[in-house]
Amino acid sequence: MIENNIYGYARVSTKEQKIDRQLESLLNFGIEKDRIFIDKQSGKDFDRNEYQILKRFLKLNQGSTLVIKSIDRLGRNYKEIINEWQELTKEYNIDIVVIDMPLLDTRKNKDLMGTFVSDLVLQILSFVAEQERSFIKNRQAEGIALAKKKKKHLGRPKAEWKQEYVVEYKKWQNQQQTAIQTMKNLGLKPTTFYKLYNKNKETIS
């Protein structure tokens, strides 16, 4: 076991999101860059590549300290955050520091009252993190439902038949031009070209 190891963990939900602020906070805390683990993945559960590698390090180096910028970087599932926190602090015997919430620093106040306050704050913040995640999901679902109610097409707009198409399709029917030339003149892709033709060929004849 290596004494006094300090590790950092940072997470964003997508590859497009920036990790810079979290990294800066962890580096300023004094953590070496090669001891910071980064996931660009949803916090819905703990099945994340870098986090699982980090856990193996922590298990081997009991007595270490894990630092995160905020509790929602650890995860967003209320029950799983609580279980994970208990596993890390009790079974792996490590300390956890949440930079944005000084009360969540298990290195301090290890007496009964300190532990009680830390657990209480953790449960409140974990609950808030999950509620926020649920709110985002509900808002997305409501947006989709509203769009459907307004009969908005959420994918590509459907191609509509235009009367002026008749002339070009007739040229193709009469072998005056190729299908490719006809598609080009109409500005249609092959799938749409044949779909419109099959649907409206009686009109063309």
Side-chain angles (χ1 to χ4, degrees):
M1 183 182 75
I2 300 172
E3 295 290 336
N4 300 321
N5 276 343
I6 301 180
Y7 297 91
Y9 179 71
R11 182 190 67 79
V12 288
S13 297
T14 66
K15 292 181 179 179
E16 291 73 27
Q17 289 180 297
K18 301 294 184 183
I19 205 84
D20 300 9
R21 288 175 60 193
Q22 292 181 63
L23 275 180
E24 184 180 6
S25 294
L26 296 172
L27 291 170
N28 288 341
F29 194 89
I31 304 170
E32 296 176 15
K33 195 170 184 179
D34 61 355
R35 291 191 178 185
I36 297 175
F37 294 77
I38 300 170
D39 274 315
K40 294 191 173 184
Q41 199 172 338
S42 168
K44 64 180 181 179
D45 56 44
F46 286 91
D47 186 19
R48 307 173 219 138
N49 293 335
E50 288 296 306
Y51 182 77
Q52 291 303 320
I53 294 172
L54 169 61
K55 279 190 73 173
R56 289 199 287 272
F57 273 92
L58 295 173
K59 189 173 184 178
L60 290 171
N61 299 305
Q62 295 197 12
S64 299
T65 299
L66 170 62
V67 183
I68 54 177
K69 179 168 172 56
S70 58
I71 193 64
D72 61 345
R73 297 307 88 199
L74 187 61
R76 286 189 176 276
N77 183 297
Y78 171 60
K79 291 181 180 178
E80 288 196 9
I81 292 175
I82 299 295
N83 292 338
E84 198 72 14
W85 185 282
Q86 295 298 327
E87 181 182 9
L88 293 173
T89 56
K90 301 296 191 296
E91 295 182 26
Y92 289 20
N93 192 33
I94 69 164
D95 281 310
I96 302 178
V97 178
V98 180
I99 296 174
D100 288 352
M101 180 56 63
L103 285 172
L104 289 179
D105 183 345
T106 63
R107 300 172 305 173
K108 305 174 182 177
N109 304 321
K110 288 184 176 290
D111 58 9
L112 184 61
M113 180 56 71
T115 302
F116 171 76
V117 171
S118 178
D119 286 348
L120 181 61
V121 173
L122 169 66
Q123 292 194 40
I124 293 171
L125 292 180
S126 300
F127 176 76
V128 170
E130 185 176 6
Q131 287 297 103
E132 181 183 352
R133 177 170 170 266
S134 297
F135 174 75
I136 292 171
K137 288 178 68 177
N138 290 339
R139 189 169 58 185
Q140 290 173 338
E142 288 171 1
I144 293 171
L146 183 60
K148 286 181 177 179
K149 188 175 181 180
K150 290 182 178 180
K151 296 182 179 179
K152 289 183 179 179
H153 184 62
L154 299 179
R156 291 181 177 179
K158 291 182 179 179
E160 295 181 0
W161 176 257
K162 297 179 182 179
Q163 192 58 38
E164 53 264 34
Y165 286 0
V166 173
V167 175
E168 293 296 331
Y169 272 107
K170 276 188 176 181
K171 288 180 182 178
W172 170 57
Q173 276 185 331
N174 297 330
Q175 299 184 344
Q176 294 175 323
Q177 63 189 21
T178 65
I180 293 175
Q181 184 61 50
T182 308
M183 292 176 206
K184 186 176 179 182
N185 293 346
L186 295 174
L188 298 174
K189 292 185 177 181
T191 304
T192 307
F193 174 81
Y194 288 108
K195 187 175 181 180
L196 286 176
Y197 174 73
N198 290 327
K199 189 176 181 180
N200 299 279
K201 54 186 175 183
E202 293 183 2
T203 307
I204 299 168
S205 302

